[in-house]
Amino acid sequence: MYCNHCGSQIADQAAICVKCGVATGRGNASGKQPTSRVLYVVLALLFGCLGVHNFLAGYTQKGVIQLLISVFTLFFGACFVAIWALVEAFTVKEDANGIPFS
């Protein structure tokens, strides 16, 4: 991979370019701990119709949408949201900041 700013070659998962110091948008430059994949999947399976797993991963808008669908349809929409959460449990691999689950 090459730096978008200076063009020097850098590691594929480098958070910053070692030559110019510009962030690459990859890696974990924020210093935050990665979200647990196991916890994300368990929350999606148990409380997926309420969007709890999305709040954990930082996908607040999706979590609010799932919660509102379940509540305002008197939980009849929860069946749809539960299927949505099940799909997310096995397809989402990173949090809202692009940091891969641990």
Side-chain angles (χ1 to χ4, degrees), residues 5 8 13 16 18-19 29 41 47 51 53 59 62 67 79 86 90 93 96 98:
H5 186 259
S8 63
Q13 293 299 320
I16 61 169
V18 293
K19 184 175 179 184
V41 171
F47 304 108
H53 60 293
Y59 295 109
K62 281 197 305 188
L67 180 64
C79 296
L86 184 64
F90 298 106
K93 304 291 185 206

Side-chain angles (χ1 to χ4, degrees), residues 62-102:
K62 281 197 305 188
V64 168
I65 291 169
Q66 289 174 329
L67 180 64
L68 292 177
I69 289 173
S70 294
V71 171
F72 286 127
T73 59
L74 301 175
F75 290 97
F76 291 113
C79 296
F80 166 72
V81 176
I83 294 168
W84 179 8
L86 184 64
V87 170
E88 285 182 334
F90 298 106
T91 59
V92 176
K93 304 291 185 206
E94 58 188 31
D95 68 8
N97 297 319
I99 300 171
F101 292 137
S102 63

